[in-house]
Amino acid sequence: MAVVGYIRKGQIKLKQQRLAIESNMPVCKWFQEKSGADSAKVFDKLIKYLWAEDTVAVFDLGDLGQSVEEVEKRLRKFCKKRLSVYWHNQGLQLSSDSLQGVLAALDVMRSLPSHASQQRSDFPSVHKLLTFPEPKPGRRRKVDYQAVAVWRAQHCASIASTAQEFGISAATVKRACRANLVLSQTGT
């Protein structure tokens, strides 16, 4: 069960990627892509080198390709060979079964209907699709948004009466309803 590194020229220099991965995982062999032109050649060498249950260490999962489709295709090859992936940027070790889950999530993201004004080319980048959002700082909510939205929907209440019922502002009621897709049932 060897650990093989795969790095690709991007926003972070190759040497920095290599050092970051090696700080957490001992790598026995490195494959590095220096330009988009040698991408397929380097990846084919990587696939031929690997055996079942080996681990591919990458700095970021998006580094496996230049598009969502290319990353997906490469992850499917990893699954066929029963490989695992060490995703340094998130600190995750993904088994081939976990990779199936990532692929399923990509399939769902692709199948979602796009907004009428949004072009297909506006599909989120691989990096945005495959990173977990940072928790947003800020004050904790005084009230459960879902409870506000449900109460308003059940009672067909106006924004003002809902605000009065919960002791919150009208703006908070609007945010709660917008977050739970109950915008306006009474026309107010």
Side-chain angles (χ1 to χ4, degrees):
M1 296 197 307
V3 177
V4 178
Y6 182 80
I7 53 177
R8 170 172 188 254
K9 190 173 183 181
Q11 293 177 346
I12 299 173
K13 294 180 180 177
L14 295 173
K15 185 176 180 181
Q16 291 173 328
Q17 290 180 43
R18 193 175 190 153
L19 290 173
I21 292 170
E22 284 179 332
S23 70
N24 292 335
M25 175 95 37
V27 176
C28 66
K29 184 164 175 81
W30 286 97
F31 289 85
Q32 67 182 34
E33 180 184 317
K34 294 181 180 174
S35 69
D38 65 347
S39 171
K41 199 180 336 176
V42 173
F43 189 77
D44 288 342
K45 285 181 184 177
L46 171 74
I47 288 292
K48 288 176 185 172
Y49 181 82
L50 295 167
W51 290 60
E53 303 198 14
D54 282 350
T55 300
V56 179
V58 294
F59 186 78
D60 192 10
L61 210 54
D63 291 343
L64 288 174
Q66 296 175 352
S67 67
V68 175
E69 291 77 20
E70 188 176 7
V71 170
E72 182 180 9
K73 188 171 92 176
R74 290 178 173 189
L75 289 176
R76 289 193 192 285
K77 285 186 179 183
F78 288 166
C79 289
K80 271 186 185 174
K81 273 196 127 168
R82 305 280 310 152
L83 302 172
S84 63
V85 174
Y86 171 68
W87 182 3
H88 175 77
N89 202 21
Q90 296 295 329
L92 295 174
Q93 177 86 26
L94 301 171
S95 67
S96 59
D97 295 331
S98 301
L99 289 176
Q100 292 286 355
V102 170
L103 290 168
L106 286 173
D107 289 340
V108 168
M109 292 295 286
R110 192 177 305 103
S111 69
L112 292 174
S114 60
H115 189 268
S117 65
Q118 188 180 28
Q119 299 293 322
R120 268 320 248 182
S121 61
D122 291 342
F123 195 71
S125 70
V126 173
H127 178 73
K128 287 181 183 176
L129 275 176
L130 300 175
T131 53
F132 300 109
E134 292 288 325
K136 293 183 180 178
R139 193 174 62 127
R140 293 196 177 199
R141 297 177 181 160
K142 286 183 181 178
V143 65
D144 178 23
Y145 277 12
Q146 187 173 7
V148 171
V150 167
W151 186 89
R152 181 169 182 235
Q154 286 176 345
H155 293 88
C156 295
S158 67
I159 291 173
S161 63
T162 305
Q164 188 176 10
E165 174 70 27
F166 285 90
I168 56 177
S169 69
T172 302
V173 173
K174 290 176 186 175
R175 278 193 295 273
C177 293
R178 192 175 309 121
N180 289 285
L181 300 175
V182 181
L183 295 174
S184 178
Q185 293 190 352
T186 61
T188 56

